[in-house]
Amino acid sequence: MKVFSDVEKTPYDIVPLGELLCNLTDGTHHTPSYTEDGVKFISVTNVTENQIDFINTKYISREEHLKLIKRCNPQPGNILLTKIGSIGRAAVVPGDLPEFSLFVSVALLQLTDRVIPEYLCAYLNTYFARKQFERHLKGIGVPDLHLKNIEQTLVILPTDITFQRRVADAYTESFKKYQSTLKYADGL
């Protein structure tokens, strides 16, 4: 595929995503008992490209949340990546996050210091990353991306953190303009 051969021409390192992670997990594999209020429960429907919807969520009890975070405890700077249904949408967990737990449809990526979250998030939202995800999908009706395949995703990695920050900032600015244009078009 041309997109993959083009990437090989990059002057930057190409590393498997697993080398940039200190932990990779996903949310609970059982459907919890939902409550009217409590702790927010995030699933694939709450994660879009660069954004996590903390408003339109389901809720679980605090007791259930405390059990779930023993295995999967999202923290600011981690990345959420959709892995069941809508595949490959990434967002950075913000610093001002409310407490929340995750469903199995969302992977939690905890990063090493080799990569900044905003750069990796931008990269995971690219065509190249999504094409890699598509190659590894399992399932007929509902596509499923397994954690081991997420780890194998190749990442173009500039070693200069300052350069990573510049790329991330440029991506964020472009994404804001894109969102603004969509909002304007919707208003028409």
Side-chain angles (χ1 to χ4, degrees), residues 139-158:
I140 305 266
V142 179
D144 186 353
L145 183 62
H146 295 185
L147 295 177
K148 68 178 178 171
N149 296 124
I150 292 171
E151 286 181 320
Q152 296 168 352
T153 303
L154 297 178
V155 176
I156 298 172
L157 183 69

Side-chain angles (χ1 to χ4, degrees), residues 2 5 10-11 22 39 44 48 50 53 55 57 62 86 107 116 119-120 125 136 158 163 172 174 176 188:
K2 183 174 177 358
S5 62
T10 183
C22 53
V39 178
V44 69
T48 58
N50 301 312
D53 176 5
I55 296 171
T57 65
R62 178 145 194 76
S86 296
I116 61 170
Y119 173 83
L120 186 57
N125 283 316
H136 294 290
F163 184 73
T172 300
S174 294
K176 285 179 184 176
L188 294 176

Side-chain angles (χ1 to χ4, degrees), residues 1-8 127 131-132 134-135:
M1 182 176 254
K2 183 174 177 358
V3 69
F4 296 112
S5 62
D6 286 349
V7 169
E8 292 173 358
Y127 177 77
K131 279 299 182 193
Q132 290 184 77
E134 288 173 10
R135 292 173 93 178

